[in-house]
Amino acid sequence: MLFVLWGILALVPGSNLNNGLNVVGFEYVFVLISYYKWYMKEIPIHYAAWMVTLGAIVILIWNVVLPMLIPNNSRLLIDLLWPVEKEWSIPIMLISFGLFEIFRRMVFYSRIVNIIAASSFGVYLITEQPFIREQLWSKWVVLSDFYDSKYAVVQTISYVIIICAVAGVLDLLRDSLFRVTIDRHRGVWFDKIWNLVFFKNRRKIQHPITSVNP
C-alpha cells in the first residue's frame, strides 16, 4: 500500500502526498526495508546492479528528454520532474536499495574507513545543529548562487566533501579530547555522584529527623 501510494501515485503530476524528508518518508522506507529483511530472500548481486543501472537510466532520460519536449518554464515540466527527483521516488529507491545490497556484501577492513564511519554521526550532529545549519546553508554555502551554473554538480560535490571533512576533523578532535579527559576513567563521575547521593540518603534514613510536639 505504501509503495502504491508514495511510489506509483506519486508519479501523477500535481500529486502531493507529503512524502519527503519527514516522519512519513521515514515510515515509508522503514516499512520497505523491514519487509525486505524479514520476509524476502536476498536480492542477487547482479539484480542489485541492474536496479542501480535502471534507476540511473530512468532519472537520466526523465531529466533529459522531458525538457526537450516541454518548455523549461512550464508548470507541467516541474510537476513531471518533481516526482522522480523526490527523495523516496521509485528510481532513487532502486538506486538506494541496489547500492545498499552491493556494498553490504563487500567484506574488507580499512582503518581509514572505520575512522570516517565513526565520525559520521558527529558530522550529522554538527551540520544539523540549528545555528550551524542556518549559517552553513544561508551564509557560507548559498546554493542559489551557483544553482544555474554549468558546474553546479561539481561545486555541490566539492562543498559536500569540504563540509564533511571539516566536521569530521572537529569530531575527531572532540573524540581525542574526551579520550584524555572524560573517557579516561569511564563512569567515574557517575560513580562519585551516585555514591554521594546514595550515602547522603542512607544517612537520612538511619538518622531520621523527628519533631516533638510541645
Side-chain angles (χ1 to χ4, degrees):
M1 291 178 62
L2 296 177
F3 179 76
V4 172
L5 285 174
W6 293 316
I8 298 177
L9 293 183
L11 297 175
V12 178
S15 64
N16 183 12
L17 301 175
N18 195 29
N19 181 26
L21 293 177
N22 49 32
V23 177
V24 177
F26 171 79
E27 292 176 349
Y28 172 50
V29 177
F30 182 81
V31 170
L32 291 179
I33 293 176
S34 300
Y35 182 83
Y36 170 67
K37 182 177 181 181
W38 295 342
Y39 301 108
M40 294 180 63
K41 296 181 180 180
E42 287 190 345
I43 299 174
I45 194 70
H46 61 279
Y47 282 5
W50 275 111
M51 291 170 64
V52 176
T53 304
L54 179 61
I57 291 175
V58 170
I59 293 176
L60 180 63
I61 294 177
W62 204 281
N63 284 271
V64 171
V65 174
L66 286 182
M68 296 174 60
L69 301 176
I70 304 174
N72 290 331
N73 296 327
S74 173
R75 179 64 187 179
L76 178 60
L77 178 62
I78 298 176
D79 291 338
L80 291 175
L81 291 178
W82 178 247
V84 178
E85 296 176 351
K86 292 191 70 173
E87 295 84 1
W88 315 124
S89 66
I90 293 179
I92 293 180
M93 292 296 289
L94 284 173
I95 296 175
S96 302
F97 269 76
L99 288 176
F100 181 83
E101 280 300 305
I102 292 173
F103 286 100
R104 186 176 67 88
R105 300 179 191 181
M106 292 184 179
V107 180
F108 69 97
Y109 175 81
S110 173
R111 185 179 180 183
I112 297 177
V113 172
N114 289 340
I115 293 174
I116 296 175
S119 300
S120 59
F121 186 60
V123 172
Y124 168 76
L125 293 179
I126 292 172
T127 55
E128 284 299 310
Q129 201 278 337
F131 175 77
I132 297 298
R133 183 175 183 177
E134 177 67 22
Q135 298 295 317
L136 181 62
W137 301 114
S138 298
K139 296 182 180 180
W140 301 338
V141 180
V142 183
L143 299 179
S144 59
D145 291 345
F146 58 89
Y147 187 81
D148 296 325
S149 172
K150 63 174 67 175
Y151 306 109
V153 175
V154 177
Q155 289 176 278
T156 302
I157 295 175
S158 301
Y159 280 124
V160 169
I161 294 175
I162 293 172
I163 292 170
C164 290
V166 173
V169 170
L170 292 177
D171 184 70
L172 291 176
L173 292 175
R174 190 273 316 160
D175 182 68
S176 301
L177 180 62
F178 273 49
R179 192 176 301 152
V180 298
T181 55
I182 298 176
D183 294 340
R184 189 173 183 179
H185 302 287
R186 188 180 297 273
V188 65
W189 288 7
F190 174 82
D191 293 336
K192 289 183 177 180
I193 296 175
W194 171 261
N195 292 332
L196 177 64
V197 174
F198 177 77
F199 287 112
K200 185 176 180 180
N201 292 334
R202 188 174 181 180
R203 285 195 297 268
K204 288 182 179 181
I205 295 175
Q206 292 176 349
H207 304 285
I209 299 175
T210 58
S211 59
V212 179
N213 293 328

